[in-house]
Amino acid sequence: NNKIPVGKFVAADDLRWQEWPASANIESFIEQEKQPEGLEKMVGAVARYDLVVGEPVTTSKLVHPGTAGFMAVMLTPGMRAVSVEIAAETASGGFIQPNDRVDVIVTREVQSANGAQSSGMQNIRSDLILSNIRVLAIDATYGAPEVEGEAAAPQAGQGQVIIGSRATLELTERDATLLNTAKKAGEIALTLRSIADLQSPQGAT
């Protein structure tokens, strides 16, 4: 019923049954006779390709969350998905949700002026290394593609607190390299940003 762009989560109103010549090759199509609940089963899947109105839907054109290829559909073209270990105390107490925006901070021990390392607080340094980064997932909880305009406003009652151990972030190739280096240098923390900051500069600081 509606055009389905790449990365869109399919809704019930996006799909309908339509007649097709029986003589045509329809082995890859979702047939009502063979799969009466075919439409319902496709709701919540994500489009791997642009689908125009009236185009037959096949299982290869849609991918469900948690299956192979799903995260690749979620990524903005040219970006990379990078995972980082997190704890509740370093991830805004579990209030970071998929598709939120975060800043990435690395805390590490640095050498003193004479080259020696110390456990004193004066030799602990925290640096903001990445700003306004999109969260793709917390553990196995995924987020819908980004929405701009009025539809991006938070909805009351949406979502639950997610206490996860791993966050997957959307980064450029350069920022992905920076984060992987920072993970070896110290402890990574995520700080939640306001949804109003969506248009702020993104990436390495």
Side-chain angles (χ1 to χ4, degrees):
N1 288 337
N2 303 301
K3 178 182 177 180
I4 304 175
V6 171
K8 182 184 186 297
F9 277 72
V10 174
D13 292 342
D14 293 330
L15 304 173
R16 64 177 170 84
W17 294 113
Q18 69 176 9
E19 294 184 355
W20 205 261
S23 59
N25 180 12
I26 57 176
E27 291 183 2
S28 61
F29 293 179
I30 300 172
E31 297 181 62
Q32 187 174 20
E33 182 178 346
K34 296 180 181 179
Q35 303 179 54
E37 299 179 353
L39 296 188
E40 291 80 0
K41 289 183 178 179
M42 289 298 105
V43 172
V46 179
R48 298 183 65 188
Y49 310 95
D50 285 333
L51 302 176
V52 299
V53 176
E55 179 179 350
V57 173
T58 66
T59 53
S60 65
K61 295 177 181 179
L62 300 177
V63 58
H64 283 277
T67 59
F70 175 75
M71 188 55 70
V73 176
M74 298 296 298
L75 278 169
T76 302
M79 303 294 275
R80 309 289 188 269
V82 181
S83 293
V84 59
E85 297 288 342
I86 59 172
E89 60 270 21
T90 60
S92 297
F95 283 97
I96 293 176
Q97 300 279 325
N99 226 35
D100 279 342
R101 293 285 178 148
V102 297
D103 290 339
V104 181
I105 297 172
V106 60
T107 300
R108 65 194 190 279
E109 189 172 350
V110 296
Q111 291 185 336
S112 60
N114 59 11
Q117 285 190 328
S118 168
S119 59
M121 287 298 294
Q122 68 272 18
N123 291 328
I124 300 297
R125 175 171 173 172
S126 291
D127 290 300
L128 173 64
I129 60 169
L130 299 171
S131 177
N132 199 26
I133 300 301
R134 178 187 172 202
V135 178
L136 293 169
I138 300 292
D139 285 352
T141 304
Y142 305 93
E146 293 187 65
V147 178
E148 297 182 357
E150 294 182 2
Q155 301 296 315
Q158 270 193 343
Q160 298 178 347
V161 174
I162 302 176
I163 305 298
S165 60
R166 179 174 291 271
T168 303
L169 308 178
E170 182 180 71
L171 302 172
T172 64
E173 184 176 3
R174 175 192 174 205
D175 291 345
T177 301
L178 175 61
L179 179 60
N180 283 326
T181 301
K183 287 192 291 187
K184 297 179 180 180
E187 181 178 304
I188 299 296
L190 306 181
T191 59
L192 182 63
R193 294 179 65 105
S194 167
I195 194 171
D197 294 338
L198 189 63
Q199 301 303 324
S200 298
Q202 175 184 350
T205 59

